[in-house]
Amino acid sequence: MNTTDIASQVQVSERDSVLKITLNRPAQLNALTAQMCSTITSAIKGCADSHELILFDSSSPKGFCGGGDVKVIAGNDAAATAFLMDEYEKDYWVAKSPVPVVALMGGVTMGGGLGIGAHARYRVVDETSLLAMPETRIGGVPDAGMNEFLARTGNCFGELVAVCSLNFRAGDALAAQLADYYIPSKLHAELRRRLFAGENPQRVCESLSEPAPAAPVFEFAASIDRDFQALAAADPLTRLREFGELLHDADKKTVLDSFASVSVIAAAVALERIYRLREKARSTLEILRSDLLVFRRFVLHRNFVEGVRARLVDKDNKPYFVPGSIADASAAQLAEFLDAPPSIREQEILASWQARFEL
């Protein structure tokens, strides 16, 4: 990919004191590449002394960002490592930018796209927003630092959407504190005009914000939360089994269908990672470092390769995940992703990535 291609996929422009970063890969729902992530990081790091606001948006009304371009990285060590290192560095700088960040999360906003938006200081959703962390459907787990947010959603909404890869809408995102403002798309031109004019972003967002719409997924999570909190399982697989039984008792077809479609190992690891963060909070950098270790292991595993094939390449929607059931899964299979000490190769990757943040 040449420099012109990269520049066209991430359009960085200036409007007075505002740095505008527009994702522009519409045919792929703005799926992120390593080069796109690197361009975003450089733009954020380079504007601290020259701009008062960063605005993320999309050139397409279909979506803000559908996530990472996983077809490129599935099973490919070199490509996966390069992409994940650049993606998580970008997420860190969105979260820690000294310049306030506004993210307009209209349309499809999933995976790494939600990773950008949720880390922004001012997070805007609208009537078109369709959000998800859909990784367990392709044999992976939520990453991009999103477990930091999924672990503090107020009820088991975080576990529900992580395990089942459920889609949710603007009202759910607001209720779960994954977004801050509901501003209909018809008001976005006015939003941009006032931001470009130098008005205070918080006051602008508050003045244009409208009452949040319904939050059916969040409300369903609230309805089962008391029973979820009562689950007493001591190990991840038993916890996943009991969670599945709870969902079956609740008898909500869309949720049950989603639960049946995911990788068992991925679902158990996703549930356990949120559980551990609820027990002990960690910094954004620590969470992203864990993502680099754990998610990279998934990307290189056969289940992820198979999930990407079935969902995104052949699109037969019939992935053959191993194991195929909770009963056939083992603690050793989970430990391979969760608790195995970093290999020498992994130690080198983690050290190289960590060095990017050292002065």
Side-chain angles (χ1 to χ4, degrees):
M1 182 181 296
N2 61 43
T3 303
T4 302
D5 292 333
I6 299 169
S8 69
Q9 292 177 359
V10 179
Q11 298 175 341
V12 181
S13 58
E14 298 181 0
R15 292 287 297 270
D16 297 321
S17 62
V18 178
L19 184 74
K20 185 168 173 284
I21 301 177
T22 300
L23 303 183
N24 183 43
R25 201 181 176 209
Q28 293 80 24
L29 282 175
N30 294 332
L32 297 167
T33 66
Q35 295 91 339
M36 291 171 69
C37 293
S38 180
T39 298
I40 293 169
T41 296
S42 296
I44 294 174
K45 293 174 68 175
C47 78
D49 298 324
S50 55
H51 295 81
E52 296 178 1
L53 185 71
I54 299 170
L55 174 64
F56 273 96
D57 65 5
S58 167
S59 64
S60 170
K62 291 184 178 180
F64 173 59
C65 176
D69 195 345
V70 294
K71 289 186 286 187
V72 175
I73 67 173
N76 186 323
D77 189 343
T81 301
F83 171 71
L84 296 177
M85 290 177 71
D86 287 343
E87 182 188 20
Y88 301 156
E89 181 183 14
K90 174 262 301 169
D91 292 329
Y92 176 83
W93 284 108
V94 173
K96 302 302 179 181
S97 170
V99 179
V101 177
V102 176
L104 304 185
M105 298 187 286
V108 174
T109 304
M110 298 183 178
L114 191 51
I116 295 175
H119 285 293
R121 191 174 305 181
Y122 305 106
R123 305 166 300 176
V124 178
V125 288
D126 61 41
E127 76 282 359
T128 70
S129 297
L130 180 65
L131 310 101
M133 292 304 292
E135 289 80 7
T136 56
R137 293 187 75 248
I138 57 171
V141 292
D143 67 323
M146 281 303 300
N147 288 297
E148 176 179 359
F149 303 100
L150 297 176
R152 60 186 195 211
T153 57
N155 59 31
C156 65
F157 177 88
E159 287 86 350
L160 183 66
V161 300
V163 169
C164 299
S165 289
L166 289 177
N167 293 345
F168 55 96
R169 293 284 186 175
D172 299 302
L174 291 158
Q177 302 179 64
L178 299 177
D180 305 301
Y181 304 101
Y182 179 74
I183 302 178
S185 57
K186 65 183 180 182
L187 299 178
H188 286 191
E190 176 68 5
L191 171 67
R192 290 184 176 89
R193 185 192 68 77
R194 293 175 62 179
L195 293 177
F196 293 150
E199 292 189 43
N200 179 279
Q202 181 173 340
R203 286 199 288 270
V204 171
C205 289
E206 289 176 349
S207 68
L208 295 176
S209 183
E210 295 189 358
V217 180
F218 187 84
E219 290 169 3
F220 173 73
S223 74
I224 65 170
D225 189 62
R226 178 177 295 181
D227 291 334
F228 175 80
Q229 299 301 332
L231 298 181
D235 67 274
L237 284 172
T238 304
R239 189 177 298 119
L240 180 65
R241 178 178 56 77
E242 292 184 353
F243 187 39
E245 292 170 354
L246 173 59
L247 296 179
H248 277 84
D249 289 344
D251 195 25
K252 191 174 181 66
K253 186 178 186 305
T254 54
V255 176
L256 291 175
D257 288 347
S258 294
F259 184 73
S261 73
V262 304
S263 160
V264 168
I265 295 298
V269 172
L271 188 61
E272 178 66 11
R273 295 185 81 206
I274 296 176
Y275 175 81
R276 293 183 183 185
L277 277 176
R278 287 193 188 275
E279 292 291 302
K280 182 181 179 180
R282 301 169 71 184
S283 70
T284 300
L285 190 62
E286 289 173 327
I287 291 170
L288 288 167
R289 184 181 186 276
S290 174
D291 285 344
L292 181 56
L293 179 63
V294 175
F295 191 71
R296 180 178 168 276
R297 289 173 173 175
F298 274 98
V299 169
L300 301 182
H301 192 268
R302 68 156 308 278
N303 276 351
F304 191 87
V305 176
E306 169 63 5
V308 169
R309 179 208 64 77
R311 306 292 189 194
L312 303 175
V313 180
D314 298 338
K315 299 182 181 179
D316 57 36
N317 278 318
K318 296 179 180 179
Y320 180 68
F321 293 133
V322 178
S325 68
I326 297 174
D328 293 331
S330 69
Q333 289 172 315
L334 266 64
E336 177 184 344
F337 299 98
L338 269 173
D339 299 317
S343 66
I344 293 176
R345 164 82 168 141
E346 290 171 334
Q347 291 176 39
E348 293 171 348
I349 291 169
L350 293 171
S352 176
W353 184 77
Q354 191 84 27
R356 298 185 181 192
F357 307 97
E358 297 172 358
L359 299 178

